[in-house]
């Protein structure tokens, strides 16, 4: 198992010691860009981590959100992309069809990048109806690292949010993750 974290503007700093990968929130909806995106990306790249970027999906305007995300997320061969599908601050969520559409549109716009679905166990079991996760499922379930309570095949498991979001990736080595990420 590889170790990583996912960060957003809420983390002014994060320790990269012992990390193999870092996911960074890039965008949300059609107007928000993480103000720490550049610094967090540099920190992860300087540590030679595999880097991923995610978009917090809102309902509606799916093609516009996908275009916004890829226009703001840095683009480097081997970077991973993900959609964060969960309830937003207004208590709504993108539909299952919108989630699927977003993943397909990002894959169309950045065909040489892996695109993953991030969601929590509750969403996976209660809102997902297609099991479509693009190139891989990144599942949040706060249990023992590497043992999420889903039957689906997964690539990344977020196992805690204390003191920040910590993840493990189901790869034998950082090299294996890099090879997979480069398609």
């Amino acid at each position: 198992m590889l170790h990583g974290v996912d960060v957003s503007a809420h983390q002014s700093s994060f320790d990269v010691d012992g990390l193999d990968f870092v996911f960074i929130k890039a965008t949300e909806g059609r107007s928000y860009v993480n103000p720490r995106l550049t610094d967090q990306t540099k920190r992860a790249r300087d540590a030679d981590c595999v880097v991923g970027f995610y978009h917090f999906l809102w309902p509606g305007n799916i093609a516009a959100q996908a275009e916004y995300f890829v226009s703001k997320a840095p683009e480097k061969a081997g970077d991973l992309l993900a959609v964060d599908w969960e309830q937003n601050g207004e208590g709504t969520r993108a539909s299952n069809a919108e989630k699927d559409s977003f993943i397909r549109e990002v894959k169309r716009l950045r065909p040489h990048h892996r695109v993953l679905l991030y969601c929590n166990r509750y969403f996976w079991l209660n809102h997902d109806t297609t099991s479509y996760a693009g190139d891989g499922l990144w599942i949040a379930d706060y249990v023992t690292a590497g043992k999420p309570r889903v039957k689906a095949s997964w690539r990344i498991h977020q196992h805690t949010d204390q003191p920040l979001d910590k993840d493990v990736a189901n790869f034998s080595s950082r090299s294996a993750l890099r090879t997979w990420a480069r398609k």
Side-chain angles (χ1 to χ4, degrees):
M1 289 285 155
L2 302 182
H3 297 276
V5 295
D6 55 280
V7 297
S8 68
H10 297 290
Q11 288 78 36
S12 58
S13 183
F14 57 96
D15 187 4
V16 293
D17 289 343
L19 297 183
D20 299 294
F21 64 95
V22 175
F23 271 90
I24 302 161
K25 181 176 184 176
T27 55
E28 181 172 332
R30 293 180 298 140
S31 60
Y32 174 84
V33 176
N34 175 358
R36 300 183 193 274
L37 178 61
T38 301
D39 292 338
Q40 290 172 331
T41 301
K42 181 179 182 336
R43 183 170 187 74
R45 291 200 198 291
D46 286 352
D48 197 35
C49 292
V50 175
V51 179
F53 301 98
Y54 70 91
H55 173 83
F56 190 99
L57 188 64
W58 280 70
N61 303 300
I62 299 305
Q65 286 189 70
E67 289 173 11
Y68 186 71
F69 174 48
V70 299
S71 76
K72 303 298 182 187
E75 184 173 4
K76 181 178 177 184
D79 284 347
L80 298 168
L81 302 173
V83 58
D84 180 347
W85 183 46
E86 57 187 293
Q87 184 171 302
N88 62 36
E90 294 180 357
T92 63
R93 63 175 169 81
S95 70
N96 191 87
E98 288 173 317
K99 174 263 296 180
D100 291 356
S101 179
F102 182 88
I103 293 170
R104 287 186 175 94
E105 184 64 8
V106 172
K107 288 175 71 63
R108 186 187 73 76
L109 293 168
R110 289 236 185 128
H112 302 294
H113 291 264
R114 297 278 187 183
V115 181
L116 296 97
L117 168 66
Y118 167 89
C119 68
N120 61 43
R121 180 176 180 263
Y122 179 83
F123 261 58
W124 184 252
L125 296 176
N126 297 290
H127 294 301
D128 186 83
T129 58
T130 63
S131 298
Y132 182 63
D135 294 310
L137 177 61
W138 172 13
I139 190 77
D141 187 23
Y142 298 163
V143 294
T144 303
K147 298 187 184 290
R149 296 168 298 161
V150 294
K151 292 179 182 174
S153 178
W154 56 274
R155 289 290 182 172
I156 299 173
H157 173 210
Q158 181 187 85
H159 57 90
T160 186
D161 62 356
Q162 298 297 322
L164 72 158
D165 293 346
K166 292 184 180 181
D167 307 91
V168 292
N170 195 11
F171 291 89
S172 60
S173 66
R174 190 182 300 184
S175 175
L177 175 56
R178 279 193 203 289
T179 298
W180 179 79
R182 291 185 184 270
K183 287 186 109 172

